[in-house]
Amino acid sequence: MFDSLRNKKSEPTVLSDMLTKQRRYDSLVKALHTDIFRYAYWLIGDKHIAEDVTQETFLRAWRALDSLKDDKAAKAWLITILRRENARRFERKQFDYSDVEQELLEDEKSSTTEEQTEQYWLRKQIGLLEVEYREPLLLQLIGGFSGEEIADLLELNRNTVMTRLFRARNQLKDALESPEVRGQSNG
């Protein structure tokens, strides 16, 4: 008799807890999906794979939502999940390598406007940065994270992050000032 009363009292609580979790998750997705996808796209460079990794990120977030104690930390928490999910991709997949250099492939999607050309060039230059410089830069530019937050996400010292950000910007600046780029803009 007491067991049936206890079960009846706990059912609404379980249902209420599930509804609360669903609302919290829906709010999280609505607020951060665009930012998380944007970061995934910059990190991966392929829209379809970025969509898959973003979806898997939010699936893992649903499963672990109770571990998110501070909603203000949700973006950093999701970026961490995304980075781990992206790393899992490489653990699972064996790549077929091609002899074709990626720079030689023609970009059929971009029009010839100057702005799109500059964006393509910048994306290419960022992609050429070593991962240790590219990742903090993307977290700052795309994710909007501070140096301290990036240090926490990457499990690095803040000074190391700031040095890497400085070097990444200098490498981009040097690439912009190279004779090849100047010759193209003057020609």
Side-chain angles (χ1 to χ4, degrees):
M1 180 170 141
F2 290 111
D3 286 337
S4 66
L5 283 175
R6 190 178 324 144
N7 287 342
K8 286 183 181 181
K9 287 183 179 180
S10 66
E11 271 183 44
T13 304
V14 170
L15 183 59
S16 174
D17 290 348
M18 289 301 293
L19 287 173
T20 301
K21 181 178 180 179
Q22 184 65 47
R23 285 188 197 108
R24 186 177 183 209
Y25 178 77
D26 289 345
S27 296
L28 188 74
V29 172
K30 186 177 181 182
L32 297 173
H33 184 274
T34 302
D35 290 343
I36 298 303
F37 171 74
R38 185 181 308 121
Y39 180 72
Y41 183 66
W42 268 93
L43 188 65
I44 297 165
D46 181 287
K47 180 182 177 191
H48 300 292
I49 296 172
E51 287 170 349
D52 290 346
V53 171
T54 301
Q55 183 176 5
E56 189 63 33
T57 297
F58 279 103
L59 177 62
R60 288 188 184 274
W62 167 259
R63 292 179 187 149
L65 192 59
D66 294 335
S67 70
L68 178 63
K69 302 300 180 203
D70 181 6
D71 288 345
K72 292 177 183 172
K75 191 174 186 179
W77 181 68
L78 287 169
I79 292 284
T80 299
I81 294 171
L82 185 137
R83 289 180 60 243
R84 289 179 181 152
E85 192 55 37
N86 187 47
R88 277 187 201 92
R89 218 170 40 96
F90 295 102
E91 292 169 2
R92 292 189 297 248
K93 185 170 183 173
Q94 296 297 320
F95 292 98
D96 294 328
Y97 292 101
S98 170
D99 291 336
V100 178
E101 290 293 325
Q102 294 298 315
E103 293 87 38
L104 301 177
L105 296 177
E106 185 176 337
D107 182 4
E108 298 172 0
K109 295 181 181 179
S110 296
S111 64
T112 58
T113 65
E114 187 174 327
E115 184 176 292
Q116 287 176 332
T117 302
E118 288 173 358
Q119 288 176 0
Y120 172 78
W121 180 87
L122 183 59
R123 177 186 266 296
K124 181 179 171 188
Q125 294 305 314
I126 290 173
L128 292 174
L129 293 173
E130 292 179 33
V131 173
E132 69 184 81
Y133 299 122
R134 181 175 59 233
E135 196 165 27
L137 184 65
L138 290 176
L139 285 169
Q140 187 178 56
L141 296 176
I142 305 300
F145 292 102
S146 69
E148 190 69 39
E149 292 168 326
I150 295 168
D152 290 342
L153 281 168
L154 299 179
E155 298 175 355
L156 296 170
N157 178 299
R158 183 183 178 280
N159 291 337
T160 302
V161 168
M162 299 311 286
T163 299
R164 289 180 182 183
L165 286 169
F166 177 78
R167 289 179 181 166
R169 285 193 191 92
N170 278 345
Q171 288 178 21
L172 290 175
K173 182 180 155 198
D174 291 346
L176 180 62
E177 294 172 351
S178 74
E180 296 169 357
V181 173
R182 279 187 273 139
Q184 289 173 357
S185 63
N186 293 336

